[in-house]
mmCIF file of all heavy atoms in Angstrom:
data_model
loop_
_atom_site.group_PDB
_atom_site.id
_atom_site.type_symbol
_atom_site.label_atom_id
_atom_site.label_comp_id
_atom_site.label_asym_id
_atom_site.label_seq_id
_atom_site.Cartn_x
_atom_site.Cartn_y
_atom_site.Cartn_z
ATOM 1 N N ALA A 43 65.143 -61.328 15.993
ATOM 2 C CA ALA A 43 64.931 -61.124 14.651
ATOM 3 C C ALA A 43 64.684 -59.603 14.519
ATOM 4 O O ALA A 43 63.694 -59.098 14.890
ATOM 5 C CB ALA A 43 63.877 -61.853 13.967
ATOM 6 N N ASP A 44 65.717 -58.792 14.037
ATOM 7 C CA ASP A 44 65.534 -57.368 14.029
ATOM 8 C C ASP A 44 64.566 -57.051 12.882
ATOM 9 O O ASP A 44 64.544 -57.611 11.760
ATOM 10 C CB ASP A 44 66.902 -56.685 13.532
ATOM 11 C CG ASP A 44 68.010 -56.878 14.466
ATOM 12 O OD1 ASP A 44 67.727 -57.201 15.704
ATOM 13 O OD2 ASP A 44 69.163 -56.652 14.230
ATOM 14 N N ALA A 45 63.749 -56.015 13.180
ATOM 15 C CA ALA A 45 62.667 -55.655 12.194
ATOM 16 C C ALA A 45 63.196 -55.175 10.856
ATOM 17 O O ALA A 45 62.759 -55.442 9.781
ATOM 18 C CB ALA A 45 61.844 -54.441 12.835
ATOM 19 N N ASP A 46 64.372 -54.458 10.844
ATOM 20 C CA ASP A 46 64.946 -54.037 9.548
ATOM 21 C C ASP A 46 65.460 -55.262 8.787
ATOM 22 O O ASP A 46 65.452 -55.251 7.576
ATOM 23 C CB ASP A 46 66.053 -52.900 9.772
ATOM 24 C CG ASP A 46 67.134 -53.286 10.666
ATOM 25 O OD1 ASP A 46 67.005 -54.173 11.584
ATOM 26 O OD2 ASP A 46 68.214 -52.836 10.455
ATOM 27 N N ALA A 47 65.960 -56.240 9.510
ATOM 28 C CA ALA A 47 66.484 -57.427 8.783
ATOM 29 C C ALA A 47 65.271 -58.050 8.133
ATOM 30 O O ALA A 47 65.288 -58.547 7.032
ATOM 31 C CB ALA A 47 67.286 -58.340 9.751
ATOM 32 N N LEU A 48 64.171 -58.300 8.874
ATOM 33 C CA LEU A 48 63.083 -58.995 8.406
ATOM 34 C C LEU A 48 62.420 -58.257 7.162
ATOM 35 O O LEU A 48 61.935 -58.992 6.156
ATOM 36 C CB LEU A 48 61.874 -59.027 9.568
ATOM 37 C CG LEU A 48 62.314 -60.047 10.607
ATOM 38 C CD1 LEU A 48 61.318 -59.958 11.750
ATOM 39 C CD2 LEU A 48 62.237 -61.489 10.208
ATOM 40 N N ALA A 49 62.527 -56.929 7.189
ATOM 41 C CA ALA A 49 61.955 -56.315 5.995
ATOM 42 C C ALA A 49 62.779 -56.352 4.846
ATOM 43 O O ALA A 49 62.373 -56.093 3.756
ATOM 44 C CB ALA A 49 61.882 -54.710 6.513
ATOM 45 N N ALA A 50 64.032 -56.720 4.936
ATOM 46 C CA ALA A 50 64.997 -56.824 3.895
ATOM 47 C C ALA A 50 65.267 -58.320 3.300
ATOM 48 O O ALA A 50 66.021 -58.479 2.431
ATOM 49 C CB ALA A 50 66.394 -56.292 4.319
ATOM 50 N N VAL A 51 64.465 -59.247 3.913
ATOM 51 C CA VAL A 51 64.599 -60.650 3.494
ATOM 52 C C VAL A 51 63.925 -60.759 2.115
ATOM 53 O O VAL A 51 62.658 -60.597 1.898
ATOM 54 C CB VAL A 51 63.890 -61.607 4.508
ATOM 55 C CG1 VAL A 51 63.938 -63.029 4.010
ATOM 56 C CG2 VAL A 51 64.628 -61.573 5.787
ATOM 57 N N PRO A 52 64.726 -61.234 1.119
ATOM 58 C CA PRO A 52 64.150 -61.577 -0.216
ATOM 59 C C PRO A 52 63.013 -62.692 -0.025
ATOM 60 O O PRO A 52 63.332 -63.652 0.743
ATOM 61 C CB PRO A 52 65.290 -62.018 -1.127
ATOM 62 C CG PRO A 52 66.508 -61.474 -0.438
ATOM 63 C CD PRO A 52 66.157 -61.428 1.107
ATOM 64 N N ALA A 53 61.893 -62.447 -0.607
ATOM 65 C CA ALA A 53 60.901 -63.525 -0.314
ATOM 66 C C ALA A 53 61.247 -64.907 -0.665
ATOM 67 O O ALA A 53 60.860 -65.797 0.005
ATOM 68 C CB ALA A 53 59.637 -63.095 -1.176
ATOM 69 N N GLU A 54 62.083 -65.165 -1.632
ATOM 70 C CA GLU A 54 62.498 -66.414 -2.022
ATOM 71 C C GLU A 54 63.441 -67.135 -1.144
ATOM 72 O O GLU A 54 63.819 -68.141 -1.204
ATOM 73 C CB GLU A 54 63.036 -66.410 -3.464
ATOM 74 C CG GLU A 54 64.455 -65.745 -3.524
ATOM 75 C CD GLU A 54 64.159 -64.216 -3.916
ATOM 76 O OE1 GLU A 54 63.082 -63.627 -3.783
ATOM 77 O OE2 GLU A 54 65.197 -63.564 -4.219
ATOM 78 N N CYS A 55 63.917 -66.270 -0.071
ATOM 79 C CA CYS A 55 65.048 -66.691 0.790
ATOM 80 C C CYS A 55 64.555 -66.894 2.242
ATOM 81 O O CYS A 55 65.214 -67.533 3.002
ATOM 82 C CB CYS A 55 66.261 -65.721 0.778
ATOM 83 S SG CYS A 55 67.057 -65.756 -0.685
ATOM 84 N N GLY A 56 63.320 -66.387 2.588
ATOM 85 C CA GLY A 56 62.704 -66.766 3.861
ATOM 86 C C GLY A 56 62.693 -68.167 4.328
ATOM 87 O O GLY A 56 63.200 -68.432 5.426
ATOM 88 N N GLU A 57 62.222 -68.970 3.388
ATOM 89 C CA GLU A 57 62.063 -70.390 3.801
ATOM 90 C C GLU A 57 63.378 -71.017 4.031
ATOM 91 O O GLU A 57 63.711 -71.790 4.844
ATOM 92 C CB GLU A 57 61.317 -71.109 2.685
ATOM 93 C CG GLU A 57 61.145 -72.712 2.993
ATOM 94 C CD GLU A 57 60.426 -72.996 4.121
ATOM 95 O OE1 GLU A 57 59.568 -72.174 4.648
ATOM 96 O OE2 GLU A 57 60.591 -74.061 4.613
ATOM 97 N N HIS A 58 64.368 -70.627 3.223
ATOM 98 C CA HIS A 58 65.860 -71.071 3.372
ATOM 99 C C HIS A 58 66.300 -70.644 4.769
ATOM 100 O O HIS A 58 66.998 -71.443 5.462
ATOM 101 C CB HIS A 58 66.744 -70.529 2.303
ATOM 102 C CG HIS A 58 66.450 -71.145 0.978
ATOM 103 N ND1 HIS A 58 66.510 -72.518 0.754
ATOM 104 C CD2 HIS A 58 66.139 -70.562 -0.252
ATOM 105 C CE1 HIS A 58 66.351 -72.699 -0.608
ATOM 106 N NE2 HIS A 58 65.898 -71.601 -1.181
ATOM 107 N N LEU A 59 66.098 -69.477 5.140
ATOM 108 C CA LEU A 59 66.560 -69.034 6.502
ATOM 109 C C LEU A 59 65.905 -69.819 7.537
ATOM 110 O O LEU A 59 66.526 -70.105 8.647
ATOM 111 C CB LEU A 59 66.382 -67.476 6.702
ATOM 112 C CG LEU A 59 67.165 -66.531 5.746
ATOM 113 C CD1 LEU A 59 66.620 -65.086 5.670
ATOM 114 C CD2 LEU A 59 68.634 -66.619 6.127
ATOM 115 N N LEU A 60 64.549 -69.994 7.458
ATOM 116 C CA LEU A 60 63.917 -70.771 8.462
ATOM 117 C C LEU A 60 64.446 -72.174 8.519
ATOM 118 O O LEU A 60 64.684 -72.682 9.625
ATOM 119 C CB LEU A 60 62.392 -70.772 8.049
ATOM 120 C CG LEU A 60 61.457 -71.591 9.230
ATOM 121 C CD1 LEU A 60 61.635 -70.948 10.578
ATOM 122 C CD2 LEU A 60 60.110 -71.706 8.660
ATOM 123 N N GLN A 61 64.691 -72.848 7.467
ATOM 124 C CA GLN A 61 65.158 -74.210 7.425
ATOM 125 C C GLN A 61 66.650 -74.216 7.959
ATOM 126 O O GLN A 61 67.060 -75.227 8.633
ATOM 127 C CB GLN A 61 65.076 -74.834 6.183
ATOM 128 C CG GLN A 61 63.616 -75.031 5.677
ATOM 129 C CD GLN A 61 62.748 -75.822 6.694
ATOM 130 O OE1 GLN A 61 63.314 -76.719 7.420
ATOM 131 N NE2 GLN A 61 61.482 -75.479 6.727
ATOM 132 N N MET A 62 67.391 -73.089 7.752
ATOM 133 C CA MET A 62 68.726 -73.125 8.276
ATOM 134 C C MET A 62 68.695 -73.015 9.759
ATOM 135 O O MET A 62 69.513 -73.732 10.440
ATOM 136 C CB MET A 62 69.515 -72.041 7.682
ATOM 137 C CG MET A 62 70.100 -72.341 6.313
ATOM 138 S SD MET A 62 71.213 -70.919 5.616
ATOM 139 C CE MET A 62 70.023 -69.691 5.026
ATOM 140 N N ALA A 63 67.791 -72.139 10.460
ATOM 141 C CA ALA A 63 67.647 -72.011 11.707
ATOM 142 C C ALA A 63 67.376 -73.465 12.247
ATOM 143 O O ALA A 63 67.803 -73.910 13.416
ATOM 144 C CB ALA A 63 66.635 -70.977 12.066
ATOM 145 N N ARG A 64 66.305 -74.039 11.614
ATOM 146 C CA ARG A 64 65.807 -75.466 12.093
ATOM 147 C C ARG A 64 66.972 -76.391 12.265
ATOM 148 O O ARG A 64 67.127 -77.137 13.222
ATOM 149 C CB ARG A 64 64.673 -76.027 11.220
ATOM 150 C CG ARG A 64 64.101 -77.176 11.642
ATOM 151 C CD ARG A 64 63.072 -77.798 10.661
ATOM 152 N NE ARG A 64 62.084 -76.797 10.238
ATOM 153 C CZ ARG A 64 60.928 -76.496 10.793
ATOM 154 N NH1 ARG A 64 60.666 -77.170 11.980
ATOM 155 N NH2 ARG A 64 60.184 -75.537 10.389
ATOM 156 N N GLU A 65 67.756 -76.473 11.158
ATOM 157 C CA GLU A 65 68.876 -77.367 11.104
ATOM 158 C C GLU A 65 70.004 -77.039 12.157
ATOM 159 O O GLU A 65 70.461 -77.983 12.727
ATOM 160 C CB GLU A 65 69.504 -77.325 9.612
ATOM 161 C CG GLU A 65 70.728 -78.264 9.649
ATOM 162 C CD GLU A 65 70.412 -79.762 9.523
ATOM 163 O OE1 GLU A 65 69.225 -80.023 9.147
ATOM 164 O OE2 GLU A 65 71.222 -80.615 9.802
ATOM 165 N N GLY A 66 70.135 -75.799 12.385
ATOM 166 C CA GLY A 66 71.093 -75.333 13.315
ATOM 167 C C GLY A 66 70.697 -75.852 14.856
ATOM 168 O O GLY A 66 71.456 -76.375 15.499
ATOM 169 N N LEU A 67 69.408 -75.629 15.045
ATOM 170 C CA LEU A 67 68.896 -76.030 16.356
ATOM 171 C C LEU A 67 68.994 -77.616 16.528
ATOM 172 O O LEU A 67 69.336 -78.145 17.546
ATOM 173 C CB LEU A 67 67.478 -75.592 16.612
ATOM 174 C CG LEU A 67 67.327 -74.049 16.643
ATOM 175 C CD1 LEU A 67 65.776 -73.659 16.710
ATOM 176 C CD2 LEU A 67 68.116 -73.574 17.975
ATOM 177 N N SER A 68 68.670 -78.285 15.373
ATOM 178 C CA SER A 68 68.634 -79.681 15.472
ATOM 179 C C SER A 68 70.146 -80.233 15.735
ATOM 180 O O SER A 68 70.248 -81.140 16.528
ATOM 181 C CB SER A 68 68.181 -80.297 14.095
ATOM 182 O OG SER A 68 68.383 -81.637 13.982
ATOM 183 N N ASN A 69 71.123 -79.696 15.020
ATOM 184 C CA ASN A 69 72.478 -79.934 15.227
ATOM 185 C C ASN A 69 72.958 -79.719 16.666
ATOM 186 O O ASN A 69 73.583 -80.572 17.264
ATOM 187 C CB ASN A 69 73.376 -79.324 14.179
ATOM 188 C CG ASN A 69 73.223 -79.746 12.897
ATOM 189 O OD1 ASN A 69 72.764 -80.793 12.551
ATOM 190 N ND2 ASN A 69 73.752 -78.906 11.910
ATOM 191 N N ALA A 70 72.576 -78.649 17.227
ATOM 192 C CA ALA A 70 72.888 -78.225 18.646
ATOM 193 C C ALA A 70 72.334 -79.388 19.532
ATOM 194 O O ALA A 70 73.117 -79.866 20.485
ATOM 195 C CB ALA A 70 72.426 -76.944 19.064
ATOM 196 N N TRP A 71 71.098 -79.738 19.330
ATOM 197 C CA TRP A 71 70.489 -80.766 20.275
ATOM 198 C C TRP A 71 70.959 -82.075 19.961
ATOM 199 O O TRP A 71 71.363 -82.856 20.938
ATOM 200 C CB TRP A 71 69.042 -80.645 20.094
ATOM 201 C CG TRP A 71 68.299 -81.713 20.884
ATOM 202 C CD1 TRP A 71 68.088 -81.517 22.229
ATOM 203 C CD2 TRP A 71 67.567 -82.750 20.384
ATOM 204 N NE1 TRP A 71 67.340 -82.663 22.684
ATOM 205 C CE2 TRP A 71 66.973 -83.343 21.545
ATOM 206 C CE3 TRP A 71 67.381 -83.224 19.105
ATOM 207 C CZ2 TRP A 71 66.181 -84.567 21.422
ATOM 208 C CZ3 TRP A 71 66.637 -84.512 19.063
ATOM 209 C CH2 TRP A 71 66.082 -85.136 20.269
#
Side-chain angles (χ1 to χ4, degrees):
D44 297 343
D46 60 334
L48 290 169
V51 173
E54 67 275 10
C55 293
E57 179 64 23
H58 290 299
L59 291 169
L60 179 63
Q61 294 304 328
M62 285 188 276
R64 183 185 311 275
E65 180 71 21
L67 291 173
S68 174
N69 287 347
W71 178 70

